[in-house]
């Protein structure tokens, strides 16, 4: 750190008139990208501290003179005045604010100039030259590559025609459907519809029904609609189910002879209460030398699913199981996921295992990766295992307490080495027989959860090291890694600024270990406070996304150089890929095709993101459904996000989030300040800022949009004084809406 700062201070100061030329030349040379002032300064070697403010001022002046563009807050790029034509991806919005994305910049497209392009279509556009003080606009002149997509909504069937009122935020117009294309759909049915035609002079597109999901408002219909919205399957093809049902467990004496036999070793599973797919088990026994042998046993899915089978093709396409609020949509058919491959107690099972020899301090003396056969002695829920940890009493108490002790030491060392410690409570719903949420509760990760987590992490690290960590001068074979890149310094800096408003200091420079320790300290200090959830979310958002790839860059969040996913092949396709690669390389096989494997990694990462989006949408739907019965009730909450259209409030009691629309802030005209995450009134200067504590009333609950609207509770108090962010939740003061109205 110190040496780096000395280097900066010794850099020669560049004259201001030369800086302008250097900046323009650099941005024109890199005209397709945008840069912040730090990146610009570094690129032109203006690292002398005295030049920092010069670079900022020059960028502002060049923007004002229309010589460069500020394409985002603090992000600059060359003002090329673009040629008359370009290609990009069309972005359609139901509010009419359509655009085309070109080189990470969104250029507006009026509806009359859109050729009715749909969201995600690749289009050729004609772009107007920039005029001072005006945003450039584009006109679609050709739809080059239409994106294959469907729309979800509710049917309205009239005498001569039908229409679909869409739930989509990407389409404002209803879709007209000929009665012959209804597939038996009736008014009020939730349906999936594909657009078949949309002429330029027509207000509404024409379409056909792809599938009827059920009656609007029925739980299964709505959950299937969420899956369909994200392009995820909601039912299994019959031929795949049939192929799976024909598979036999096949645990023959010959197969057992090929494996290490752990059937007589104490083994058990620890899983959620409602789990049916048990894909991991732990075994433990004391060795003669006083050390412990701990086995992490994983369902040997690839023994049953062959690379050329239709089950394999279906699993590869799905890439992941999807977990909605009330159901699991498995990656593998039920006969495999909940049957043959599930490590159920008192049944012989084929497994792929990582076996560790550990001392009492959780130091790994040695390890091996082998195919095994096990027989689980007991199925524990997390709650049952937790009770044993807390009371010291119960089945296999000695084994569980030993594993807990070892796991705690592994965890302590992980955090000591700089791993991030995110420990947020997850929102869960208690649901009645009709799928209606009747209670909100929070799922916390306790010692039993962490016990399993630590040994799964250890197995994943060990497997990744076995392939990726090779002697100097040797090249590692192609492999699937789970990577987590270093965070963007700008995002960490922004997070630090927000945390500072609550009185917390977060280190933004230094080694990853130092930065992570600072974030962990904040997450501990904020525990139990009103801003805990918000700062936890913002800390997570400041990180890069974890992904699958053949290019190993390490895992920043775990602070390890090698990491993969090996421990959940029932629900994740990358784990199946890892199992196959391990077996191939163990037999001396050659390195696989890197390009093909990278394509599969990318597909798995994309599907994982879609599944996460669908899960969030299902939670949002249940939150709105839960709050429908609470219209008019008043709650206390924290401002969790601020946008130009209003601010979102997360309620303390149940973590449901809703919008206070800016249109409802009738006491003043409010401006959005993106840099400071706040809305500020022009006349009275009242501010609503990220993290402010407010009291709100539930105003609207729109299930179609999955949107809660809140209104601020007004009283005679003065909301302008700063809020005591550092007070405990029970003592904190609450910011309320002004009662004064605009004349």
């Amino acid at each position: 750190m110190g040496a780096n700062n000395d280097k900066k201070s010794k850099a020669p100061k560049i004259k201001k008139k030369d800086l302008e030329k250097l900046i323009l030349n650099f941005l024109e040379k890199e005209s397709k990208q945008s840069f912040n002032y730090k990146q610009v300064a570094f690129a032109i070697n203006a690292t002398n501290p005295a030049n920092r403010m010069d670079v900022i001022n020059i960028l502002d002046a060049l923007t004002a003179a229309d010589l460069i563009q500020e394409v985002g807050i603090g992000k600059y790029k060359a003002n090329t005045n673009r040629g008359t034509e370009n290609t990009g991806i069309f972005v359609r919005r139901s509010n009419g604010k359509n655009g085309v994305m070109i080189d990470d910049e969104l250029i507006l497209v009026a509806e009359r100039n859109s050729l009715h392009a749909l969201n995600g279509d690749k289009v050729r556009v004609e772009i107007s030259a920039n005029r001072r003080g005006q945003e450039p606009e584009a006109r679609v002149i050709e739809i080059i590559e239409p994106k294959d997509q469907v729309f979800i909504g509710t049917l309205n069937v009239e005498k001569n025609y039908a229409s679909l009122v869409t739930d989509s935020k990407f389409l404002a117009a209803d879709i007209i459907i000929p009665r012959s294309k209804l597939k038996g759909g009736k008014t009020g049915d939730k349906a999936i519809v594909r657009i078949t035609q949309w002429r330029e002079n027509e207000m509404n597109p024409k379409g056909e029904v792809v599938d009827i999901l059920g009656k609007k408002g029925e739980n299964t219909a709505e959950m299937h609609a969420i899956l369909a919205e994200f392009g995820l399957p909601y039912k299994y093809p019959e031929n795949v189910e049939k192929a799976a049902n024909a598979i036999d467990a096949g645990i023959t004496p010959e197969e057992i002879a090929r494996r290490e036999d752990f059937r007589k070793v104490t083994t058990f599973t620890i899983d959620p209460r409602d789990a049916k797919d048990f894909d991991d088990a732990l075994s433990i026994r004391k060795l003669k030398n006083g050390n412990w042998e701990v086995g992490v046993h994983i369902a040997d899915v690839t023994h049953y699913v062959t690379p050329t089978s239709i089950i394999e093709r279906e699993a590869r396409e799905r890439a992941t199981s999807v977990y909605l609020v009330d159901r699991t949509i498995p990656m593998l058919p039920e006969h495999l996921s909940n049957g043959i491959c599930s490590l159920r107690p008192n049944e012989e099972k084929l497994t792929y295992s990582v076996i560790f020899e550990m001392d009492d301090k959780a130091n790994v003396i040695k390890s091996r990766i082998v195919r095994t056969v096990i027989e689980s002695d007991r199925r524990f829920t997390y709650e049952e295992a937790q009770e044993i940890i807390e009371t010291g009493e119960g089945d296999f108490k000695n084994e569980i307490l030993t594993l807990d002790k070892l796991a705690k030491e592994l965890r302590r060392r992980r955090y000591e080495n700089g791993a991030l410690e995110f420990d947020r409570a997850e929102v869960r719903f208690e649901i009645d027989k009709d799928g209606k949420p009747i209670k909100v509760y929070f799922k916390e990760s306790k010692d039993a959860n962490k016990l399993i987590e630590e040994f799964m992490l250890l197995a994943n690290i060990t497997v990744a090291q076995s392939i990726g960590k090779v002697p100097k001068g040797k090249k590692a074979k192609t492999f699937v890694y789970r990577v987590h890149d270093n965070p963007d310094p700008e995002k960490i800096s922004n997070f630090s600024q927000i945390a500072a408003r609550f009185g917390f200091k977060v280190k933004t420079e230094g080694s990853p270990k130092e930065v992570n320790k600072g974030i962990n300290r904040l997450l501990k200090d904020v525990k139990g406070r009103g801003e805990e959830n918000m700062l936890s979310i913002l800390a997570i958002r400041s990180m890069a996304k974890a992904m699958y790839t053949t290019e190993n860059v390490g895992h920043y969040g775990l602070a390890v150089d090698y990491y993969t996913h090996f421990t959940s092949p029932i629900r994740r396709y990358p784990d199946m890929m890892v199992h196959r690669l391990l077996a191939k390389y163990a037999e001396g096989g050659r390195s696989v095709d890197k390009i093909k494997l990278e394509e599969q990694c990318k597909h798995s990462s994309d599907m994982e993101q879609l599944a996460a989006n669908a899960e969030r949408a299902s939670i949002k739907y249940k939150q709105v459904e839960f709050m429908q019965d609470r219209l008019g009730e008043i709650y206390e909450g924290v401002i969790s996000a601020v946008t130009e259209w209003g601010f979102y409030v997360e309620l303390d009691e149940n973590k449901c989030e809703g919008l206070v629309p800016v249109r409802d802030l009738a006491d003043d005209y409010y401006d959005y300040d993106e840099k400071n995450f706040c809305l500020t009134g022009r006349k009275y200067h009242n501010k609503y800022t990220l993290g402010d504590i407010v009291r709100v009333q539930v105003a609207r609950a729109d299930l179609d949009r999955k949107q809660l609207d809140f209104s601020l509770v007004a009283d005679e108090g003065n909301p302008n004084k700063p809020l005591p962010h550092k007070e405990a939740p029970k003592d904190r003061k609450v910011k309320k809406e002004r009662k004064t109205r605009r004349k």
Side-chain angles (χ1 to χ4, degrees):
M1 280 294 295
N4 193 36
N5 286 337
D6 289 345
K7 189 177 176 184
K8 282 185 181 179
S9 62
K10 287 176 184 175
K13 188 175 187 300
I14 303 171
K15 291 180 182 177
K16 210 167 179 180
K17 62 178 182 180
D18 295 329
L19 273 178
E20 185 174 312
K21 190 175 180 182
L22 286 167
I23 290 170
L24 281 170
N25 287 344
F26 167 68
L27 290 177
E28 282 168 11
K29 186 181 173 185
E30 303 289 341
S31 60
K32 290 194 173 183
Q33 296 185 60
S34 60
F35 304 88
N36 61 35
Y37 83 89
K38 287 182 183 176
Q39 292 166 322
V40 172
F42 181 79
I44 64 173
N45 203 29
T47 54
N48 188 298
N51 278 143
R52 274 174 69 134
M53 194 51 69
D54 290 337
V55 171
I56 293 169
N57 291 337
I58 289 168
L59 287 167
D60 286 342
L62 291 172
T63 304
D66 212 24
L67 295 172
I68 63 172
Q69 306 172 73
E70 188 175 10
V71 295
I73 298 295
K75 300 281 276 187
Y76 302 89
K77 69 181 291 187
N79 188 354
T80 56
N81 276 335
R82 291 181 183 79
T84 53
E85 287 189 16
N86 214 320
T87 60
I89 302 298
F90 193 79
V91 179
R92 175 171 285 281
R93 291 286 181 267
S94 60
N95 60 8
K97 293 184 179 179
N98 304 329
V100 61
M101 189 66 77
I102 300 172
D103 300 332
D104 295 326
E105 183 185 354
L106 187 67
I107 301 169
L108 295 175
V109 179
E111 181 60 42
R112 65 182 180 280
N113 295 326
S114 72
L115 277 187
H116 296 319
L118 297 176
N119 193 63
D121 287 354
K122 187 176 181 182
V123 295
R124 181 175 287 112
V125 294
E126 186 178 75
I127 303 167
S128 63
N130 284 6
R131 289 195 293 272
R132 189 174 173 81
Q134 290 187 330
E135 294 286 332
E137 281 198 32
R139 179 173 70 88
V140 179
I141 53 178
E142 183 188 359
I143 298 171
I144 302 170
E145 199 176 293
K147 182 185 176 185
D148 185 32
Q149 59 190 303
V150 293
F151 294 89
I152 322 300
T154 307
L155 288 175
N156 182 28
V157 182
E158 303 289 347
K159 186 176 180 181
N160 299 316
Y161 73 96
S163 63
L164 184 87
V165 181
T166 72
D167 300 340
S168 176
K169 59 183 177 183
F170 301 121
L171 187 67
D174 295 348
I175 302 171
I176 306 301
I177 305 162
R179 288 183 65 94
S180 60
K181 302 288 184 181
L182 272 175
K183 271 200 169 181
K186 299 179 177 60
T187 295
D189 281 350
K190 204 89 178 180
I192 304 173
V193 168
R194 179 181 289 111
I195 290 177
T196 54
Q197 185 185 76
W198 197 356
R199 294 196 178 100
E200 196 174 350
N201 60 344
E202 292 175 335
M203 292 286 289
N204 298 82
K206 291 186 175 69
E208 62 183 8
V209 170
V210 175
D211 199 7
I212 302 296
L213 299 173
K215 282 291 175 191
K216 176 180 172 147
E218 286 180 355
N219 187 57
T220 294
E222 297 295 346
M223 292 299 106
H224 285 179
I226 287 170
L227 292 165
E229 176 189 346
F230 292 98
L232 295 167
Y234 48 90
K235 54 188 175 185
Y236 247 100
E238 281 184 26
N239 60 339
V240 179
E241 293 271 18
K242 190 176 177 183
N245 291 338
I247 295 173
D248 183 74
I251 304 177
T252 61
E254 293 77 22
E255 185 58 43
I256 289 171
R258 286 192 282 268
R259 296 170 178 258
E260 283 198 33
D261 193 344
F262 276 77
R263 288 176 296 173
K264 301 298 183 188
V265 182
T266 299
T267 304
F268 43 77
T269 60
I270 306 176
D271 287 282
R273 197 170 32 205
D274 55 352
K276 293 175 183 173
D277 53 344
F278 313 137
D279 51 11
D280 57 78
L282 291 177
S283 70
I284 182 169
R285 63 180 163 185
K286 193 152 195 171
L287 300 173
K288 289 177 182 177
N289 63 6
N291 288 336
W292 297 100
E293 182 190 75
V294 178
V296 178
H297 305 284
I298 307 302
D300 194 355
V301 172
T302 55
H303 176 79
Y304 298 104
V305 180
T306 57
T308 56
S309 66
I310 58 170
I311 303 170
E312 160 75 15
R313 288 198 297 274
E314 185 74 18
R316 186 170 59 233
E317 185 59 35
R318 289 175 180 241
T320 181
S321 294
V322 183
Y323 296 88
L324 302 188
V325 165
D326 68 331
R327 69 194 63 208
T328 299
I329 296 82
M331 180 182 77
L332 296 170
E334 195 171 319
H335 181 64
L336 290 172
S337 61
N338 295 356
I340 287 175
C341 295
S342 186
L343 308 183
R344 299 184 297 200
N346 306 313
E347 294 180 17
E348 293 179 342
K349 297 289 179 179
L350 301 181
T351 45
Y352 216 153
S353 307
V354 187
I355 312 299
F356 300 99
E357 182 181 334
M358 307 175 83
D359 64 19
D360 278 330
K361 298 292 184 186
N363 296 306
V364 176
I365 311 303
K366 58 184 177 182
S367 64
R368 64 189 188 276
I369 303 167
V370 288
R371 280 193 148 127
T372 54
V373 58
I374 68 164
E375 185 173 341
S376 172
D377 296 290
R378 173 80 147 80
R379 182 260 160 130
F380 288 99
T381 65
Y382 281 123
E383 291 80 7
E384 289 169 338
Q386 185 63 30
E387 189 175 347
I388 293 168
I389 291 169
E390 289 176 4
T391 65
E393 295 299 327
D395 293 347
F396 302 106
K397 64 181 181 182
N398 293 332
E399 288 85 352
I400 285 180
L401 291 172
T402 300
L403 287 169
D404 179 57
K405 177 188 158 194
L406 295 171
K408 281 173 175 158
E409 181 57 27
L410 289 170
R411 188 159 65 253
R412 185 195 66 75
R413 286 208 297 263
R414 252 192 336 110
Y415 294 144
E416 183 63 31
N417 290 333
L420 282 167
E421 190 175 357
F422 290 117
D423 194 16
R424 291 188 63 239
E426 296 177 39
V427 178
R428 291 287 184 267
F429 293 92
E430 195 175 299
I431 289 171
D432 68 14
K433 60 181 176 60
D434 299 317
K436 189 175 175 61
I438 54 177
K439 183 183 175 185
V440 177
Y441 65 95
F442 306 112
K443 178 188 165 190
E444 290 185 73
S445 184
K446 295 187 177 179
D447 287 342
N449 306 74
K450 291 171 182 175
L451 183 163
I452 294 297
E453 180 186 19
E454 286 307 321
F455 283 104
M456 297 308 121
L457 289 174
L458 184 62
N460 287 332
I461 292 166
T462 304
V463 166
Q465 286 177 337
S466 75
I467 304 298
K469 201 173 181 179
V470 294
K472 210 168 186 179
K474 286 209 166 189
K475 191 178 178 185
K477 291 183 176 179
T478 301
F479 199 56
V480 175
Y481 296 98
R482 177 71 168 178
V483 305
H484 186 223
D485 210 346
N486 291 355
D488 184 326
E490 192 175 0
K491 286 184 177 179
I492 284 286
S493 178
N494 288 342
F495 172 64
S496 175
Q497 290 170 30
I498 297 167
R501 292 182 192 157
F502 296 91
F504 299 108
K505 192 172 181 181
V506 177
K507 195 176 177 69
T508 59
E509 293 179 328
S511 69
K513 183 175 177 178
E514 291 170 326
V515 173
N516 286 1
K517 280 190 173 181
I519 293 172
N520 286 345
R521 223 171 5 253
L522 176 146
L523 294 172
K524 278 183 182 173
D525 292 344
V526 80
K527 205 81 178 161
R529 298 169 58 116
E531 57 269 21
E532 176 190 354
N533 206 45
M534 183 200 65
L535 285 177
S536 298
I537 291 169
L538 288 175
I540 292 167
R541 286 178 186 168
S542 70
M543 298 291 131
K545 276 191 171 70
M547 59 185 285
Y548 299 105
T549 178
T550 57
E551 298 291 341
N552 183 35
V553 297
H555 199 292
Y556 176 86
L558 294 172
V560 293
D561 294 328
Y562 302 92
Y563 193 66
T564 190
H565 272 170
F566 163 82
T567 53
S568 292
I570 289 177
R571 61 186 180 89
R572 294 187 306 223
Y573 186 72
D575 301 57
M576 289 176 61
M577 291 158 65
V578 165
H579 282 214
R580 287 207 180 101
L581 290 169
L582 279 175
K584 180 183 176 71
Y585 296 155
E587 292 166 5
R590 289 184 177 182
S591 191
V592 299
D593 185 316
K594 191 169 185 175
I595 294 172
K596 188 176 178 183
L597 192 64
E598 185 62 35
E599 286 173 1
Q600 291 176 341
C601 285
K602 185 180 183 309
H603 174 70
S604 294
S605 295
D606 291 344
M607 294 305 290
E608 176 188 41
Q609 187 60 55
L610 281 178
N613 292 343
E615 181 183 359
R616 280 194 291 270
S618 77
I619 291 169
K620 192 74 182 171
Y621 184 90
K622 290 300 174 190
Q623 285 180 333
V624 176
E625 191 176 16
F626 180 72
M627 296 302 287
Q628 264 190 331
D629 298 333
R630 289 155 180 82
L631 292 176
E633 291 186 13
I634 293 170
Y635 295 87
E636 194 174 307
V638 177
I639 295 180
S640 54
V642 182
T643 68
E644 60 187 309
W645 55 87
F647 56 82
Y648 290 87
V649 175
E650 185 183 80
L651 306 182
D652 292 344
E653 185 179 308
N654 52 36
K655 302 300 179 195
C656 291
E657 189 179 58
L659 175 70
V660 176
V662 72
R663 66 176 181 270
D664 290 352
L665 300 177
D667 64 313
D668 206 340
Y669 184 89
Y670 283 84
D671 292 311
Y672 173 49
D673 182 348
E674 188 175 355
K675 276 185 179 175
N676 293 302
F677 306 95
C678 68
L679 290 167
T680 306
R682 287 185 184 178
K683 186 174 180 181
Y684 299 110
H685 310 295
N686 191 24
K687 273 189 183 181
Y688 294 104
T689 308
L690 195 68
D692 279 350
I693 301 150
V694 291
R695 186 169 284 126
V696 294
Q697 186 173 39
V698 185
R700 288 174 289 277
D702 187 332
L703 274 173
D704 291 336
R705 291 166 55 221
K706 305 180 191 73
Q707 176 71 57
L708 279 175
D709 281 356
F710 297 149
S711 60
L712 285 172
V713 175
D715 70 3
E716 300 296 337
N718 175 14
N720 289 319
K721 59 185 177 184
L723 287 165
H725 292 304
K726 295 189 74 175
E727 290 185 19
K730 62 182 180 182
D731 298 320
R732 64 195 186 182
K733 296 178 184 176
V734 181
K735 193 172 195 177
K736 305 176 182 76
E737 186 187 8
R738 296 185 68 95
K739 202 165 185 180
T740 312
R741 298 292 174 194
R742 211 166 22 177
K743 300 292 184 190

